[in-house]
Amino acid sequence: MKLKKDRGRFTVRFDMENPDHVRAVEYLEQQRDRGKAQYMAQAILFYERSANNSVSTSDRVLIEQIIQEYLNEQGAALKVAPVPQKEADIEPPMNLISDALAEFYQ
């Protein structure tokens, strides 16, 4: 394969008949002019890491900590004690996050 003159430059054409492409274009249009490349780089790296199931331990700890803080805030705001559940009934946070991301990419 011939090496590109400028490895960092790409031309991308989206298929405006494809609803996924239309949604992607809408997200890109929301980015500032020089932020599109950063947005795309982060999306690609996130997708590749999740596809390889290589979320780092520190990322997982941070996600769990954020979720726990949110749940604690919600519990304090409602002043309701959490209902105990069987361990089998609780879906791991990563499954919930991956399900939400799957909806994003549909």
Side-chain angles (χ1 to χ4, degrees):
M1 178 185 278
K2 182 179 170 185
L3 289 178
K4 291 174 58 173
K5 183 177 177 181
D6 185 351
R7 290 185 57 220
R9 181 176 289 262
F10 290 86
T11 301
V12 178
R13 182 155 188 89
F14 291 91
D15 177 3
M16 297 309 284
E17 300 294 322
N18 182 329
D20 290 339
H21 287 220
V22 172
R23 285 178 40 206
V25 167
E26 289 168 357
Y27 285 116
L28 285 171
E29 288 175 334
Q30 294 173 8
Q31 305 306 309
R32 59 184 175 79
D33 287 340
R34 303 300 272 173
K36 291 175 177 64
Q38 181 64 35
Y39 184 82
M40 291 175 69
Q42 287 175 319
I44 291 167
L45 293 174
F46 182 82
Y47 177 80
E48 288 299 322
R49 288 178 187 141
S50 66
N52 295 328
N53 200 18
S54 65
V55 175
S56 72
T57 304
S58 62
D59 289 343
R60 181 182 175 92
V61 169
L62 179 61
I63 291 168
E64 289 175 351
Q65 182 181 17
I66 291 168
I67 291 170
Q68 188 61 51
E69 287 174 12
Y70 175 78
L71 293 174
N72 289 342
E73 289 172 6
Q74 293 302 310
L78 298 174
K79 297 182 182 177
V80 175
V83 177
Q85 293 180 325
K86 296 177 187 173
E87 194 169 314
D89 294 339
I90 300 173
E91 194 168 342
M94 290 307 294
N95 289 347
L96 295 172
I97 293 169
S98 66
D99 290 346
L101 287 172
E103 289 295 319
F104 175 76
Y105 288 109
Q106 288 185 358

